[in-house]
Amino acid sequence: MNKTKSYENINPFTAIWTRPRAVVRHVIEEKTSGFIFLLIVLAGFAGGLLSSLDSEQLLPVPGLILLSLFFGPIGVVVSTVIGAGIYLVVGKMFKGEASFSEMFRAILTGQIPQIWLIPVILLWMLFLPETYFLQPGELPFADADLLSLGFFIILGIVSIWTFVIQCKAVGEAHRLSAWKGFFIILIPIVLIIIAISAIIAVIATAVL
């Protein structure tokens, strides 16, 4: 009963910036499947839009928006399922207590800050496509004007804070500290980098 009362005034879309652990626990324990579906759609849409940043414009902007709205949520489900499985296994090394469902909800909740980027990305795509999309033969971030640099700064700040929130989200799902959540995220990344480097080294050695 006390938990329910403490969550009554939490709006996940705003409180995630200042009370991420409380929001994650709220979503894990009390939010319905309908809310989770909404997060999948919005986070997927944001991720789909962001995937087109600094890439060549192969379709008109309306077409890219529709593709992001359709395929983005699918990509988020796949990546979140994989991430939840990995963080669940690694978290057991730190004596984490999360279930797969709890980790899935936690990771998804940690992506809420990126949802706030949707209007920024749409405005950027529509009004400054020459700096949003990578032009043929152009380097990333080349010839960016002041407004575009502002968009880049917003994107960078939100991305950094999203990572911090993800560390807190993973830690909260496992009922561990944010620092342990950080290492639960970091360890798979390091292992993947080592594996890729080893494969490249083997291929290079074989070719030479």
Side-chain angles (χ1 to χ4, degrees), residues 116-192:
W116 284 88
L117 289 174
I118 291 175
V120 174
I121 294 299
L122 289 176
L123 288 173
W124 195 355
M125 292 175 71
L126 290 169
F127 295 105
L128 291 169
E130 65 276 8
T131 59
Y132 181 86
F133 296 104
L134 187 64
Q135 306 303 318
E138 184 182 42
L139 295 174
F141 313 123
D143 299 326
D145 56 26
L146 188 60
L147 184 57
S148 299
L149 288 174
F151 286 143
F152 278 123
I153 292 171
I154 293 172
L155 180 61
I157 292 173
V158 173
S159 298
I160 292 171
W161 191 238
T162 298
F163 179 75
V164 173
I165 290 176
Q166 281 289 4
C167 294
K168 292 178 179 288
V170 171
E172 179 61 31
H174 274 304
R175 297 188 182 275
L176 299 170
S177 67
W179 274 109
K180 288 185 178 180
F182 167 74
F183 286 110
I184 291 171
I185 293 174
L186 181 64
I187 288 172
I189 294 174
V190 172
L191 292 176
I192 290 172

Side-chain angles (χ1 to χ4, degrees), residues 102-117:
E102 290 172 340
M103 186 56 68
F104 182 92
R105 283 173 170 248
I107 295 173
L108 199 57
T109 304
Q111 297 180 47
I112 289 177
Q114 288 195 344
I115 294 174
W116 284 88
L117 289 174

Side-chain angles (χ1 to χ4, degrees), residues 25-170:
R25 183 54 53 188
H26 177 36
V27 173
I28 286 175
E29 295 184 355
E30 298 189 10
K31 282 301 184 180
T32 64
S33 298
F35 181 81
I36 298 304
F37 178 77
L38 176 63
L39 286 187
I40 289 172
V41 172
L42 292 177
F45 184 37
L49 292 174
L50 286 169
S51 68
S52 63
L53 177 63
D54 281 328
S55 62
E56 290 190 27
Q57 185 178 1
L58 302 177
L59 292 172
V61 170
L64 288 172
I65 292 173
L66 289 175
L67 283 177
S68 298
L69 191 57
F70 181 77
F71 288 107
I74 297 174
V76 159
V77 169
V78 172
S79 63
T80 306
V81 165
I82 294 172
I86 293 173
Y87 299 155
L88 198 64
V89 172
V90 178
K92 298 303 180 183
M93 297 167 53
F94 296 87
K95 299 183 179 179
E97 302 176 2
S99 66
F100 180 83
S101 174
E102 290 172 340
M103 186 56 68
F104 182 92
R105 283 173 170 248
I107 295 173
L108 199 57
T109 304
Q111 297 180 47
I112 289 177
Q114 288 195 344
I115 294 174
W116 284 88
L117 289 174
I118 291 175
V120 174
I121 294 299
L122 289 176
L123 288 173
W124 195 355
M125 292 175 71
L126 290 169
F127 295 105
L128 291 169
E130 65 276 8
T131 59
Y132 181 86
F133 296 104
L134 187 64
Q135 306 303 318
E138 184 182 42
L139 295 174
F141 313 123
D143 299 326
D145 56 26
L146 188 60
L147 184 57
S148 299
L149 288 174
F151 286 143
F152 278 123
I153 292 171
I154 293 172
L155 180 61
I157 292 173
V158 173
S159 298
I160 292 171
W161 191 238
T162 298
F163 179 75
V164 173
I165 290 176
Q166 281 289 4
C167 294
K168 292 178 179 288
V170 171

